[in-house]
Amino acid sequence: MGFFDMFKKKGSGDMAKDRLKLLLVSDRANCTPELMEMIKNDIINVISKYMEIDAEGLDIQITQTESEGNNGSVPALYANIPIRDIKQKI
């Protein structure tokens, strides 16, 4: 994947696959879609205080990752947040 591939818009089929993956992983992590939406909204609200972001391009996922203590895999939250501009405090 090239650098500019990150900025390409996804087709509806790709978006549906991503939603299904998110649903499956969040189900395994005992995180309901409603809770994921609340987390997403909270992240948008906090980051928007400091940066202008593209909320439509926001991608938040719960995935499985290996723990540092070799205790097996644990859920991890990943967020891809497109930043349009940094707000300057006056």
Side-chain angles (χ1 to χ4, degrees):
M1 177 170 77
F3 175 74
F4 291 105
D5 291 340
M6 293 186 299
F7 300 105
K8 289 183 181 176
K9 295 257 183 200
K10 291 183 177 183
S12 61
D14 290 332
M15 289 175 61
K17 287 180 194 176
D18 289 345
R19 284 191 205 115
L20 181 58
K21 286 180 193 175
L22 176 62
L23 183 62
L24 292 172
V25 172
S26 62
D27 185 52
R28 288 184 208 133
N30 265 345
C31 184
T32 65
E34 293 82 15
L35 180 58
M36 281 299 296
E37 191 64 28
M38 290 184 342
I39 291 169
K40 180 178 176 179
N41 289 335
D42 285 347
I43 289 172
I44 289 171
N45 290 335
V46 170
I47 293 177
S48 293
K49 292 179 185 178
Y50 306 100
M51 301 173 189
E52 182 183 333
I53 62 170
D54 177 11
E56 293 297 317
L58 184 82
D59 180 30
I60 297 177
Q61 300 178 16
I62 294 181
T63 63
Q64 294 293 110
T65 187
E66 290 299 315
S67 70
E68 291 181 17
N70 295 325
N71 295 329
S73 64
V74 295
L77 180 74
Y78 287 97
N80 182 5
I81 305 166
I83 299 171
R84 291 185 177 153
D85 196 16
I86 304 287
K87 293 181 181 179
Q88 301 295 325
K89 293 264 184 178
I90 299 177

